[in-house]
Amino acid sequence: MKIYKRLFAVTLLLLFAACSKENTVTTIPYITPEESDGVSLKSSAPFPWGAAVNVSLIKSNAAYRALVEKEMSSLTSENEMKMSRIRSSQTAWYFTDADYIVSFAQEHNIRVHGHTLIWHRSPAWLDTYQGDAAAWEAMFKEYIQTVVGRYKGKVTSWDVVNEAINEDGTLRTSIWQQKLGNDYIARAFQYAHEADPGALLFYNDYGNEYSTVKREAILALVNSLKSRGIPINGIGLQMHTRYNQSDVNLANAINSAAQTGLKVHIAELDIAVNPDNNQSLTFTSSLAQQQADKYKFIVKTYNAIPKAQQFGITTWNLTDGDTWITGEYKRPDWPLPFDSNYKRKAAYQGILDGLK
Ligand code: G3I
């Protein structure tokens, strides 16, 4: 009798496992950084592989820090090098967190990409800053040159201007554009170059893959800077994208950026699987696989552009537990190559496949 009960229990378990297979996320076996299997994104990619990092996690979370050390050859500070952190008031300059990130990277032989000098999401004090045109120009120049100068020789590259173009291709009316005029973009590059002639300077924006109008405006802007002899070295494609974005659109974004002849940085990659904000979505193995295929396509396409233009690929943070998307859109999502337990997802294998 006992043996029948056991057989019944085993059959039930097997049936349950078969039924729930569709809802089981595919993860390849996790190897902790300590038990390295010798595979890492940084050793697999022929170009720098990076992630945006969060300073408090680097400081307080050993698993997070170990993952950065094991997998990344480049890093971007997700927030600590923004003006809202570095100069949150006219008189308050704060470099402690940015310095920490730079020292951590140096200690581990990781490249630092600086993000970002001039952005429309600027600290509130700028909105009430009193000053004539000359004072604005001096303050703008002082900010850029203080930050770039401080990290001269330590920060390899900068997003000098971030997100200056609107969805319809026009120039965004940020506080900078209003106070300094449309050519503030060119002057930001010139000031940054004066402060560190060795730094590689990027224009960074989103939308190249989903909007032809915006893409063409971004390309026109960088081509015009280039033809005027403004010191621009690269174009950053943020690429906050989604699992069902078409391959054609993704390839157009990457290949058209490469046609500028500039270096191309896929600078903020993540692939949302819940773009429709479904509050009850679960991360099925089917979604995991579609996401992995999209990672593979992006990496494969990028790997085919001329080597000299491959500045690198950077994901926007590391794990599904640290992504900005869940906070910003108040929805469940799983956009990154590692899950919230620091385990490799199918997406990780997708990246490796794209590098083959
Ligand atoms: O650290 C404070 C915390 O002390 C406070 O309690 C909390 C309350 O709101 O805010 C925390 O700061 C937030 C910070 O993220 C850290 O989580 C800020 O409010 C929030 O505005 C900030 O959002 C960042 C956002 O840029 C604005 O700077 C996101 O983390 C960051 O991922 C996002 O990154 C941008 C890129 O710079 C440019 N491209 C788009 C990308 C995504 O929006």
Side-chain angles (χ1 to χ4, degrees):
M1 194 60 196
K2 248 184 181 173
I3 187 90
Y4 286 118
K5 269 191 183 163
R6 273 204 192 140
L7 267 176
F8 181 66
V10 169
T11 313
L12 267 183
L13 266 175
L14 286 175
L15 261 175
F16 177 76
C19 291
S20 59
K21 198 167 174 238
E22 182 52 28
N23 285 320
T24 313
V25 172
T26 313
T27 48
I28 60 173
Y30 177 58
I31 312 289
T32 66
E34 294 75 30
E35 317 159 344
S36 173
D37 59 356
V39 175
S40 68
L41 297 173
K42 73 175 174 194
S43 62
S44 305
F47 45 78
W49 191 278
V53 298
N54 174 310
V55 75
S56 52
L57 290 172
I58 291 269
K59 284 181 181 166
S60 65
N61 184 324
Y64 182 92
R65 192 169 57 241
L67 204 60
V68 176
E69 290 169 19
K70 175 166 188 274
E71 300 283 353
M72 306 303 159
S73 47
S74 179
L75 65 75
T76 305
S77 177
E78 186 174 4
N79 289 307
E80 287 72 29
M81 290 186 179
K82 292 174 177 171
M83 191 178 190
S84 52
R85 291 290 168 93
I86 288 184
R87 203 174 178 187
S88 60
S89 81
Q90 196 181 335
T91 49
W93 288 84
Y94 178 78
F95 288 106
T96 311
D97 288 339
D99 286 355
Y100 186 93
I101 296 265
V102 172
S103 307
F104 166 82
Q106 283 187 315
E107 215 175 289
H108 299 285
N109 204 20
I110 301 174
R111 180 183 77 179
V112 182
H113 174 69
H115 172 87
T116 177
L117 296 169
I118 297 298
W119 190 18
H120 64 94
R121 290 179 75 166
S122 47
W125 66 270
L126 284 184
D127 297 335
T128 53
Y129 176 70
Q130 300 295 320
D132 59 11
W136 266 92
E137 189 72 24
M139 183 264 288
F140 170 69
K141 179 176 178 182
E142 180 201 22
Y143 179 73
I144 294 171
Q145 298 202 329
T146 302
V147 178
V148 175
R150 183 180 185 91
Y151 298 113
K152 184 176 178 180
K154 295 180 179 170
V155 166
T156 304
S157 49
W158 287 96
D159 288 332
V160 177
V161 178
N162 193 43
E163 303 173 0
I165 306 281
N166 288 316
E167 297 293 307
D168 65 1
T170 56
L171 210 55
R172 194 190 286 270
T173 49
S174 67
I175 191 85
W176 300 116
Q177 182 271 341
Q178 287 173 304
K179 299 291 182 184
L180 302 167
N182 290 353
D183 215 29
Y184 77 97
I185 299 176
R187 298 203 301 285
F189 279 86
Q190 283 164 328
Y191 293 147
H193 183 69
E194 280 169 24
D196 183 359
L200 296 170
L201 305 181
F202 284 72
Y203 174 77
N204 191 50
D205 213 328
Y206 61 89
N208 295 58
E209 71 283 5
Y210 67 73
S211 164
T212 313
V213 174
K214 186 165 179 183
R215 177 171 67 237
E216 284 174 356
I218 292 170
L219 295 172
L221 170 69
V222 300
N223 281 327
S224 124
L225 292 170
K226 211 182 145 198
S227 66
R228 288 169 58 195
I230 303 297
I232 178 170
N233 304 99
I235 176 166
L237 308 174
Q238 293 189 6
M239 211 160 273
H240 293 290
T241 191
R242 45 177 68 194
Y243 77 107
N244 53 359
Q245 181 55 266
S246 78
D247 289 352
V248 171
N249 283 351
L250 291 163
N252 279 342
I254 295 167
N255 294 328
S256 63
Q259 276 156 20
T260 63
L262 294 169
K263 291 187 186 298
V264 180
H265 184 198
I266 297 189
E268 306 186 14
L269 180 62
D270 44 31
I271 303 182
V273 295
N274 189 11
D276 297 326
N277 293 319
N278 175 349
Q279 291 303 323
S280 54
L281 190 76
T282 54
F283 191 47
T284 61
S285 54
S286 159
L287 273 177
Q289 195 49 53
Q290 290 176 77
Q291 181 186 52
D293 292 345
K294 212 44 82 176
Y295 267 104
K296 177 180 173 184
F297 181 81
I298 290 169
V299 171
K300 201 177 172 61
T301 307
Y302 183 79
N303 203 18
I305 70 170
K307 294 287 160 211
Q309 288 176 262
Q310 293 174 352
F311 184 72
I313 296 185
T314 300
T315 59
W316 206 239
N317 227 309
L318 283 94
T319 84
D320 291 340
D322 321 308
T323 173
W324 66 288
I325 290 178
T326 44
E328 175 80 12
Y329 297 109
K330 311 275 179 282
R331 71 178 192 224
D333 212 321
W334 300 264
L336 288 161
F338 299 92
D339 69 19
S340 50
N341 295 316
Y342 306 94
K343 292 186 177 167
R344 298 168 179 177
K345 292 164 55 188
Y348 186 98
Q349 188 59 44
I351 293 169
L352 296 181
D353 292 345
L355 292 166
K356 279 180 190 154

